[in-house]
Amino acid sequence: MPERDRDLILLIEDDPAVLSSVRRRLAFEGYGVETASNGLAGCEQFEALQPDLVILDVGLPGMDGLQVAEWIRERSQVPLLMLTARDRVEDRVAGLQSGADDYLIKPFAIEELLARMRALLRRASWAPSQDPEAVLRFEDLVLNQAAMTVTRNGQPIALTPREYQLLEHFMRHPRQVLSREALFEAVWGFDHMGESNIVDVNVKKIREKTEAGGTSRLIQTVRGFGYALREHP
Ligand code: CA
């Protein structure tokens, strides 16, 4: 990715009033801003620009925001902030499962948008670790933070970005009981998971991948509390 002296934001939004007001404010705040008003144009802009963050409306003509999010996630771990007009649990969950990092419900205050953006950009600049020695180990599980790779008993394990972040959080807190809410906040970055079972879904996937070949379970369910990374009892 080219080095830039300011962050470039790609705004994909079909409402001209929202588009122009957000664009004007982001430019005022010193960000580079490019825009697209439908999903397909957004994907093309994404490929051409390699932005530092994407703001994506869910309700777009043609290819909708969820499809755009999935398309981007197949190619990139860029921070993705979703805008939704509907305060419905299923839309938020669909947005998060399609790969969004955070969401805002319309109408939103621009200060709130800026705060969420800054949090996502700050988090993106932390990862991956620059320390080549940064390796976390638990039993035969090894997580290399510089290479962002995971192996068990020497065998590579392919994880999605969210599964990787979740496993990394467990490995930073071995043998601690972690609640679903705490895991959600640590990985998805905001503090209200609503009715979502997204933590359970991702734990299940990590278990399937790390227990392939009949190896022992490392992420244990702690009934009534959450999960803990610890040796099989
Ligand atoms: Ca829209």
Side-chain angles (χ1 to χ4, degrees):
M1 199 185 288
E3 282 296 314
R4 283 187 281 257
D5 56 0
R6 56 181 186 167
D7 286 323
L8 178 64
I9 314 299
L10 174 60
L11 173 61
I12 308 173
E13 165 66 85
D14 64 319
D15 181 332
V18 175
L19 191 88
S20 68
S21 67
V22 172
R23 174 169 49 192
R24 203 173 315 124
R25 181 60 188 270
L26 294 184
F28 177 78
E29 297 289 336
Y31 294 105
V33 193
E34 296 289 342
T35 63
S37 55
N38 66 66
L40 192 59
C43 292
E44 286 170 358
Q45 289 277 63
F46 181 82
E47 288 223 298
L49 299 167
Q50 299 290 302
D52 298 293
L53 181 143
V54 177
I55 302 171
L56 177 62
D57 185 31
V58 172
L60 290 171
M63 190 179 181
D64 74 20
L66 299 176
Q67 293 171 299
V68 174
E70 283 173 10
W71 186 91
I72 288 174
R73 269 295 165 263
E74 286 168 10
R75 290 157 180 79
S76 165
Q77 294 183 45
V78 68
L80 199 51
L81 176 61
M82 211 160 232
L83 306 177
T84 171
R86 297 157 294 187
D87 181 13
R88 287 170 43 197
V89 166
E90 55 267 41
D91 288 332
R92 283 182 274 156
V93 171
L96 295 173
Q97 284 175 339
S98 69
D101 296 290
D102 200 354
Y103 63 86
L104 268 180
I105 295 157
K106 290 180 176 178
F108 54 85
I110 191 96
E111 299 302 336
E112 177 75 12
L113 176 73
L114 288 166
R116 303 283 186 106
M117 279 177 49
R118 289 187 189 114
L120 289 175
L121 287 167
R122 210 163 43 233
R123 205 141 32 97
S125 70
W126 289 342
S129 167
Q130 300 304 306
D131 178 3
E133 300 301 313
V135 170
L136 299 172
R137 294 172 197 277
F138 186 84
E139 294 217 316
D140 54 358
L141 195 61
V142 178
L143 185 147
N144 184 316
Q145 295 175 284
M148 296 183 82
T149 57
V150 176
T151 61
R152 184 160 191 198
N153 197 19
Q155 298 299 308
I157 296 169
L159 298 176
T160 66
R162 286 302 183 198
E163 291 162 8
Y164 174 89
Q165 286 175 279
L166 189 57
L167 183 60
E168 183 182 37
H169 192 75
F170 276 114
M171 292 183 77
R172 285 179 184 281
H173 303 91
R175 299 183 189 86
Q176 287 180 30
V177 177
L178 302 167
S179 70
R180 287 176 178 77
E181 289 76 15
L183 290 164
F184 184 79
E185 189 174 351
V187 173
W188 281 266
F190 45 106
D191 64 4
H192 180 66
M193 64 187 288
E195 301 299 308
S196 167
N197 67 342
I198 198 159
V199 171
D200 305 292
V201 170
N202 279 272
V203 165
K204 185 164 177 280
K205 287 187 193 154
I206 294 171
R207 282 174 169 169
E208 285 167 6
K209 292 178 180 180
T210 57
E211 295 167 20
T215 46
S216 65
R217 175 152 294 179
L218 295 177
I219 299 177
Q220 318 299 342
T221 302
V222 182
R223 238 167 259 296
F225 293 97
Y227 297 99
L229 180 71
R230 61 189 180 206
E231 295 79 0
H232 196 256

